[in-house]
Amino acid sequence: MKKRLLILGVLILSLSAQCIWAEEAPTGMSADPQDRKATEKLVHDNTQSVRDAITKHGAVVYTYVPNQLFRVYCQEERLVDIQLQPGEELIYIGGGDTVRWVVDKEISGAGSTKQWHVYVKPLKAGLITNFVINTDKHTYHLELISTTWYTPVVTWVYPQEEKIALLRQQAEVQKREEERIVLGNGTLESLNFDYKISDKRYSWKPTLVFDDGSKTYIQMPAEMKSGEAPALFVKEGKELMLVNYRVKNNYYIVDRLFDEAELRCGPKEVIVIKKIYR
C-alpha cells in the first residue's frame, strides 16, 4: 500500500512540474521536457545578466545589443536607477506588472549632459516581470526580478555606435587634411597677391590668385562645383599653352609661376595677369 502511494506521489509531482513548465514556456514553444534544455539555452543566449556586465563606480554596465533582454535585480524598499544614454529622448515605458512595481522617471543635467532616468521599485519580494523602454534611439527590454539584493544603478555602453562615430570623425579629419592647402615653402611672408583678374561676371570667375614663389594658387568660387569649370592656359610669348593643374577643395594649384594666364570655358574667358613693378 505504501509503495503504491509513493508511486502515485511521484507521478503527481512529475505532472505538476510539467504544468509549471507549460505555464512558463514562451508562446509557440513546446513544453515537452525534452525541449526544455534547448528553450533554456535560447533564453540564456538572448539575456544579459550581471555576470555578463561590467561594474563601474557601483553601476552595472551592460553592452547594448538590440532585442536582447537585460536582467535587473531589485529589492523591496530599494530604488533602482536605470540610466539611459545621454542625449536620447524617452518616449514610452511599459511593464507586464505595473501594480506591484513602482515606476517613475526624471531628467538630470541639461544641454549635452541631459539624461533620462527610469526608477523602479518592487512592493514585495519574489516578483518577476518585464519592462520595455522606448527612446528616440533605442528600445530596452528588461527582465525585473525582485529578490534579496539589488543593482542600485544600471546603465549601458554602445560600442557599435561609438565605433561608427570614431570612423566618421576619422573620415572628417582625413577629408580636412586632403582639402588643406600646403604652401610650397610654408611661409606667409613670401606670398605674392599682386595679380589682376579681368572684370568678367561668370560663375566660375576666380576670387583670388596668389603664388608662394614656386606654385600658383587660383581660388575658384564655391558655386563652380555645381556648374561650369574652365580650363587653364598660360601665355608663353604670343601662344597660349594648356597647363596641368590639381584641384584641391576650390583651388586650382599650378606647379609653376606665370605672368599671364587665361581661364576658358567655351567662348568665355577670364584673363589673369601678374602685376610687375619696375
Short mmCIF file of all heavy atoms in Angstrom, two decimals, residues 224-266:
data_model
loop_
_atom_site.label_atom_id
_atom_site.label_comp_id
_atom_site.label_asym_id
_atom_site.label_seq_id
_atom_site.Cartn_x
_atom_site.Cartn_y
_atom_site.Cartn_z
N MET A 224 31.19 77.00 -58.40
CA MET A 224 31.72 76.30 -59.57
C MET A 224 31.57 74.78 -59.45
O MET A 224 31.51 74.07 -60.46
CB MET A 224 33.20 76.66 -59.76
CG MET A 224 33.77 76.22 -61.09
SD MET A 224 35.58 76.31 -61.15
CE MET A 224 36.02 74.92 -60.08
N LYS A 225 31.49 74.26 -58.21
CA LYS A 225 31.39 72.81 -58.00
C LYS A 225 30.15 72.23 -58.66
O LYS A 225 30.14 71.06 -59.05
CB LYS A 225 31.39 72.49 -56.50
CG LYS A 225 32.72 72.78 -55.82
CD LYS A 225 32.65 72.39 -54.36
CE LYS A 225 33.98 72.65 -53.67
NZ LYS A 225 33.94 72.29 -52.22
N SER A 226 29.11 73.01 -58.77
CA SER A 226 27.86 72.52 -59.36
C SER A 226 27.59 73.14 -60.73
O SER A 226 26.47 73.07 -61.23
CB SER A 226 26.68 72.83 -58.43
OG SER A 226 26.59 74.21 -58.17
N GLY A 227 28.62 73.75 -61.32
CA GLY A 227 28.44 74.39 -62.62
C GLY A 227 29.62 74.15 -63.53
O GLY A 227 30.28 73.12 -63.48
N GLU A 228 29.88 75.14 -64.39
CA GLU A 228 30.95 75.03 -65.37
C GLU A 228 32.32 75.16 -64.71
O GLU A 228 32.49 75.91 -63.75
CB GLU A 228 30.78 76.12 -66.43
CG GLU A 228 29.49 76.02 -67.23
CD GLU A 228 29.32 77.18 -68.17
OE1 GLU A 228 29.33 78.34 -67.69
OE2 GLU A 228 29.20 76.94 -69.39
N ALA A 229 33.30 74.45 -65.25
CA ALA A 229 34.68 74.53 -64.76
C ALA A 229 35.59 74.86 -65.94
O ALA A 229 35.64 74.09 -66.92
CB ALA A 229 35.09 73.22 -64.10
N PRO A 230 36.31 75.96 -65.89
CA PRO A 230 37.14 76.37 -67.04
C PRO A 230 38.46 75.62 -67.10
O PRO A 230 38.94 75.07 -66.11
CB PRO A 230 37.36 77.85 -66.75
CG PRO A 230 37.37 77.94 -65.25
CD PRO A 230 36.35 76.94 -64.79
N ALA A 231 39.04 75.61 -68.29
CA ALA A 231 40.40 75.09 -68.47
C ALA A 231 41.38 76.24 -68.30
O ALA A 231 41.03 77.41 -68.49
CB ALA A 231 40.52 74.45 -69.84
N LEU A 232 42.62 75.89 -67.94
CA LEU A 232 43.62 76.92 -67.68
C LEU A 232 44.70 76.89 -68.76
O LEU A 232 45.28 75.85 -69.05
CB LEU A 232 44.25 76.70 -66.30
CG LEU A 232 45.38 77.66 -65.91
CD1 LEU A 232 44.84 79.09 -65.77
CD2 LEU A 232 46.02 77.22 -64.59
N PHE A 233 44.97 78.08 -69.31
CA PHE A 233 46.02 78.24 -70.32
C PHE A 233 47.01 79.29 -69.81
O PHE A 233 46.62 80.30 -69.21
CB PHE A 233 45.45 78.71 -71.65
CG PHE A 233 44.50 77.73 -72.29
CD1 PHE A 233 43.16 77.69 -71.91
CD2 PHE A 233 44.96 76.86 -73.27
CE1 PHE A 233 42.29 76.79 -72.51
CE2 PHE A 233 44.09 75.95 -73.88
CZ PHE A 233 42.75 75.92 -73.48
N VAL A 234 48.29 79.06 -70.06
CA VAL A 234 49.34 80.02 -69.70
C VAL A 234 49.94 80.58 -70.98
O VAL A 234 50.20 79.85 -71.94
CB VAL A 234 50.42 79.34 -68.83
CG1 VAL A 234 51.63 80.27 -68.67
CG2 VAL A 234 49.86 78.98 -67.47
N LYS A 235 50.16 81.88 -70.99
CA LYS A 235 50.71 82.54 -72.19
C LYS A 235 52.23 82.44 -72.21
O LYS A 235 52.91 82.85 -71.27
CB LYS A 235 50.28 84.02 -72.21
CG LYS A 235 50.54 84.69 -73.55
CD LYS A 235 49.86 86.05 -73.62
CE LYS A 235 50.00 86.66 -75.00
NZ LYS A 235 49.34 87.98 -75.10
N GLU A 236 52.73 81.83 -73.28
CA GLU A 236 54.17 81.70 -73.49
C GLU A 236 54.50 82.47 -74.77
O GLU A 236 54.21 82.01 -75.87
CB GLU A 236 54.57 80.24 -73.64
CG GLU A 236 54.29 79.38 -72.42
CD GLU A 236 55.32 79.59 -71.32
OE1 GLU A 236 56.24 80.43 -71.51
OE2 GLU A 236 55.19 78.95 -70.26
N GLY A 237 55.09 83.66 -74.60
CA GLY A 237 55.32 84.51 -75.76
C GLY A 237 53.99 85.00 -76.29
O GLY A 237 53.23 85.65 -75.58
N LYS A 238 53.68 84.62 -77.52
CA LYS A 238 52.40 85.00 -78.10
C LYS A 238 51.41 83.84 -78.14
O LYS A 238 50.29 84.00 -78.64
CB LYS A 238 52.62 85.54 -79.53
CG LYS A 238 53.41 86.83 -79.57
CD LYS A 238 53.53 87.35 -80.99
CE LYS A 238 54.30 88.66 -81.05
NZ LYS A 238 54.39 89.19 -82.44
N GLU A 239 51.83 82.68 -77.64
CA GLU A 239 50.97 81.50 -77.70
C GLU A 239 50.41 81.15 -76.32
O GLU A 239 51.04 81.42 -75.29
CB GLU A 239 51.76 80.30 -78.26
CG GLU A 239 52.23 80.49 -79.69
CD GLU A 239 52.91 79.24 -80.21
OE1 GLU A 239 52.97 78.24 -79.46
OE2 GLU A 239 53.36 79.27 -81.37
N LEU A 240 49.25 80.53 -76.34
CA LEU A 240 48.63 80.02 -75.11
C LEU A 240 48.83 78.52 -75.02
O LEU A 240 48.53 77.79 -75.97
CB LEU A 240 47.13 80.35 -75.09
CG LEU A 240 46.76 81.83 -74.90
CD1 LEU A 240 45.25 82.00 -75.03
CD2 LEU A 240 47.22 82.32 -73.52
N MET A 241 49.36 78.08 -73.89
CA MET A 241 49.65 76.66 -73.68
C MET A 241 48.73 76.11 -72.58
O MET A 241 48.63 76.69 -71.49
CB MET A 241 51.11 76.46 -73.28
CG MET A 241 52.11 77.11 -74.24
SD MET A 241 52.16 76.30 -75.86
CE MET A 241 52.83 74.72 -75.40
N LEU A 242 48.07 75.00 -72.91
CA LEU A 242 47.25 74.34 -71.89
C LEU A 242 48.17 73.73 -70.83
O LEU A 242 49.13 73.02 -71.16
CB LEU A 242 46.39 73.25 -72.53
CG LEU A 242 45.43 72.50 -71.61
CD1 LEU A 242 44.35 73.43 -71.08
CD2 LEU A 242 44.79 71.32 -72.38
N VAL A 243 47.93 74.03 -69.56
CA VAL A 243 48.81 73.53 -68.49
C VAL A 243 48.03 72.59 -67.56
O VAL A 243 46.81 72.68 -67.43
CB VAL A 243 49.41 74.69 -67.67
CG1 VAL A 243 50.31 75.53 -68.54
CG2 VAL A 243 48.31 75.55 -67.05
N ASN A 244 48.79 71.72 -66.93
CA ASN A 244 48.20 70.81 -65.94
C ASN A 244 48.08 71.52 -64.60
O ASN A 244 48.92 72.37 -64.24
CB ASN A 244 49.06 69.56 -65.80
CG ASN A 244 49.07 68.73 -67.06
OD1 ASN A 244 48.06 68.64 -67.75
ND2 ASN A 244 50.21 68.12 -67.37
N TYR A 245 47.08 71.15 -63.86
CA TYR A 245 46.89 71.71 -62.52
C TYR A 245 46.12 70.69 -61.68
O TYR A 245 45.48 69.77 -62.22
CB TYR A 245 46.13 73.05 -62.58
CG TYR A 245 44.81 72.97 -63.31
CD1 TYR A 245 43.63 72.62 -62.63
CD2 TYR A 245 44.73 73.24 -64.68
CE1 TYR A 245 42.42 72.54 -63.31
CE2 TYR A 245 43.54 73.16 -65.35
CZ TYR A 245 42.38 72.81 -64.67
OH TYR A 245 41.19 72.72 -65.33
N ARG A 246 46.21 70.84 -60.38
CA ARG A 246 45.47 69.99 -59.46
C ARG A 246 44.32 70.80 -58.87
O ARG A 246 44.46 72.01 -58.65
CB ARG A 246 46.36 69.49 -58.32
CG ARG A 246 47.56 68.70 -58.79
CD ARG A 246 48.30 68.06 -57.62
NE ARG A 246 48.65 69.01 -56.57
CZ ARG A 246 49.71 69.79 -56.62
NH1 ARG A 246 50.50 69.79 -57.69
NH2 ARG A 246 49.98 70.61 -55.62
N VAL A 247 43.22 70.15 -58.61
CA VAL A 247 42.09 70.81 -57.96
C VAL A 247 42.01 70.28 -56.53
O VAL A 247 41.88 69.08 -56.30
CB VAL A 247 40.77 70.54 -58.70
CG1 VAL A 247 39.61 71.22 -57.97
CG2 VAL A 247 40.85 71.02 -60.14
N LYS A 248 42.13 71.18 -55.59
CA LYS A 248 42.05 70.81 -54.19
C LYS A 248 41.11 71.76 -53.49
O LYS A 248 41.34 72.97 -53.48
CB LYS A 248 43.44 70.86 -53.55
CG LYS A 248 43.58 70.01 -52.31
CD LYS A 248 45.04 69.85 -51.91
CE LYS A 248 45.21 68.75 -50.88
NZ LYS A 248 46.61 68.57 -50.52
N ASN A 249 40.05 71.18 -52.92
CA ASN A 249 38.97 72.00 -52.36
C ASN A 249 38.45 72.88 -53.49
O ASN A 249 37.98 72.38 -54.49
CB ASN A 249 39.48 72.80 -51.16
CG ASN A 249 38.33 73.23 -50.25
OD1 ASN A 249 37.18 72.94 -50.53
ND2 ASN A 249 38.64 73.92 -49.18
N ASN A 250 38.54 74.19 -53.40
CA ASN A 250 38.10 75.05 -54.51
C ASN A 250 39.28 75.84 -55.09
O ASN A 250 39.12 76.98 -55.51
CB ASN A 250 36.99 76.00 -54.04
CG ASN A 250 37.44 76.90 -52.90
OD1 ASN A 250 38.28 76.52 -52.10
ND2 ASN A 250 36.88 78.09 -52.83
N TYR A 251 40.45 75.21 -55.10
CA TYR A 251 41.66 75.85 -55.64
C TYR A 251 42.17 75.10 -56.87
O TYR A 251 42.16 73.86 -56.90
CB TYR A 251 42.78 75.88 -54.59
CG TYR A 251 42.65 76.98 -53.57
CD1 TYR A 251 41.89 76.79 -52.42
CD2 TYR A 251 43.30 78.20 -53.74
CE1 TYR A 251 41.77 77.79 -51.47
CE2 TYR A 251 43.19 79.21 -52.79
CZ TYR A 251 42.42 79.00 -51.66
OH TYR A 251 42.30 80.00 -50.72
N TYR A 252 42.62 75.85 -57.87
CA TYR A 252 43.47 75.32 -58.92
C TYR A 252 44.91 75.53 -58.42
O TYR A 252 45.29 76.67 -58.10
CB TYR A 252 43.29 76.09 -60.23
CG TYR A 252 42.07 75.73 -61.05
CD1 TYR A 252 41.02 74.99 -60.50
CD2 TYR A 252 41.97 76.15 -62.38
CE1 TYR A 252 39.90 74.69 -61.27
CE2 TYR A 252 40.85 75.85 -63.15
CZ TYR A 252 39.81 75.12 -62.58
OH TYR A 252 38.70 74.82 -63.33
N ILE A 253 45.70 74.48 -58.39
CA ILE A 253 47.10 74.59 -57.96
C ILE A 253 47.99 74.26 -59.15
O ILE A 253 47.94 73.15 -59.69
CB ILE A 253 47.40 73.65 -56.78
CG1 ILE A 253 46.45 73.95 -55.60
CG2 ILE A 253 48.86 73.80 -56.34
CD1 ILE A 253 46.62 73.02 -54.42
N VAL A 254 48.80 75.25 -59.55
CA VAL A 254 49.68 75.10 -60.72
C VAL A 254 51.12 75.02 -60.21
O VAL A 254 51.57 75.88 -59.45
CB VAL A 254 49.53 76.30 -61.69
CG1 VAL A 254 50.27 76.02 -62.99
CG2 VAL A 254 48.05 76.57 -61.95
N ASP A 255 51.85 74.01 -60.64
CA ASP A 255 53.22 73.81 -60.15
C ASP A 255 54.24 74.67 -60.92
O ASP A 255 55.31 74.21 -61.32
CB ASP A 255 53.61 72.33 -60.26
CG ASP A 255 52.83 71.46 -59.29
OD1 ASP A 255 52.51 71.94 -58.19
OD2 ASP A 255 52.52 70.31 -59.64
N ARG A 256 53.91 75.93 -61.10
CA ARG A 256 54.81 76.86 -61.76
C ARG A 256 54.29 78.28 -61.57
O ARG A 256 53.18 78.49 -61.09
CB ARG A 256 54.94 76.55 -63.26
CG ARG A 256 53.62 76.56 -64.00
CD ARG A 256 53.79 76.59 -65.49
NE ARG A 256 54.31 77.89 -65.92
CZ ARG A 256 54.57 78.20 -67.18
NH1 ARG A 256 54.37 77.31 -68.15
NH2 ARG A 256 55.02 79.39 -67.51
N LEU A 257 55.10 79.25 -61.97
CA LEU A 257 54.69 80.66 -61.96
C LEU A 257 54.39 81.10 -63.39
O LEU A 257 54.85 80.48 -64.35
CB LEU A 257 55.80 81.53 -61.37
CG LEU A 257 56.27 81.18 -59.95
CD1 LEU A 257 57.41 82.10 -59.54
CD2 LEU A 257 55.14 81.25 -58.97
N PHE A 258 53.63 82.15 -63.54
CA PHE A 258 53.35 82.69 -64.87
C PHE A 258 53.08 84.19 -64.74
O PHE A 258 52.70 84.70 -63.67
CB PHE A 258 52.17 81.99 -65.53
CG PHE A 258 50.89 82.03 -64.73
CD1 PHE A 258 50.11 83.18 -64.67
CD2 PHE A 258 50.46 80.91 -64.04
CE1 PHE A 258 48.93 83.22 -63.94
CE2 PHE A 258 49.29 80.94 -63.31
CZ PHE A 258 48.52 82.09 -63.25
N ASP A 259 53.26 84.90 -65.87
CA ASP A 259 52.97 86.34 -65.93
C ASP A 259 51.55 86.60 -66.41
O ASP A 259 50.94 87.60 -66.03
CB ASP A 259 53.97 87.05 -66.85
CG ASP A 259 55.39 87.02 -66.28
OD1 ASP A 259 55.51 87.00 -65.02
OD2 ASP A 259 56.34 87.01 -67.07
N GLU A 260 51.07 85.70 -67.28
CA GLU A 260 49.71 85.89 -67.80
C GLU A 260 49.09 84.52 -68.09
O GLU A 260 49.77 83.60 -68.56
CB GLU A 260 49.74 86.72 -69.09
CG GLU A 260 48.35 87.05 -69.62
CD GLU A 260 48.39 87.98 -70.83
OE1 GLU A 260 49.43 88.67 -71.02
OE2 GLU A 260 47.40 88.00 -71.58
N ALA A 261 47.83 84.40 -67.75
CA ALA A 261 47.11 83.15 -68.00
C ALA A 261 45.67 83.47 -68.37
O ALA A 261 45.18 84.58 -68.12
CB ALA A 261 47.16 82.25 -66.76
N GLU A 262 45.02 82.48 -68.97
CA GLU A 262 43.61 82.63 -69.31
C GLU A 262 42.83 81.41 -68.82
O GLU A 262 43.31 80.28 -68.96
CB GLU A 262 43.43 82.77 -70.83
CG GLU A 262 43.88 84.10 -71.38
CD GLU A 262 43.54 84.26 -72.86
OE1 GLU A 262 42.71 83.45 -73.35
OE2 GLU A 262 44.10 85.16 -73.50
N LEU A 263 41.67 81.68 -68.28
CA LEU A 263 40.73 80.62 -67.92
C LEU A 263 39.63 80.65 -68.97
O LEU A 263 39.00 81.70 -69.18
CB LEU A 263 40.17 80.85 -66.52
CG LEU A 263 41.16 80.62 -65.38
CD1 LEU A 263 40.80 81.47 -64.19
CD2 LEU A 263 41.21 79.15 -65.00
N ARG A 264 39.40 79.52 -69.63
CA ARG A 264 38.43 79.49 -70.72
C ARG A 264 37.38 78.42 -70.49
O ARG A 264 37.68 77.30 -70.04
CB ARG A 264 39.13 79.20 -72.05
CG ARG A 264 39.97 80.37 -72.55
CD ARG A 264 40.49 80.06 -73.94
NE ARG A 264 41.21 81.19 -74.51
CZ ARG A 264 41.71 81.20 -75.75
NH1 ARG A 264 41.56 80.14 -76.53
NH2 ARG A 264 42.35 82.26 -76.20
N CYS A 265 36.15 78.79 -70.79
CA CYS A 265 35.03 77.85 -70.74
C CYS A 265 34.19 78.13 -71.98
O CYS A 265 33.38 79.07 -72.00
CB CYS A 265 34.22 78.04 -69.45
SG CYS A 265 33.05 76.70 -69.14
N GLY A 266 34.43 77.35 -73.06
CA GLY A 266 33.80 77.65 -74.34
C GLY A 266 34.34 78.97 -74.87
O GLY A 266 35.54 79.25 -74.83
#
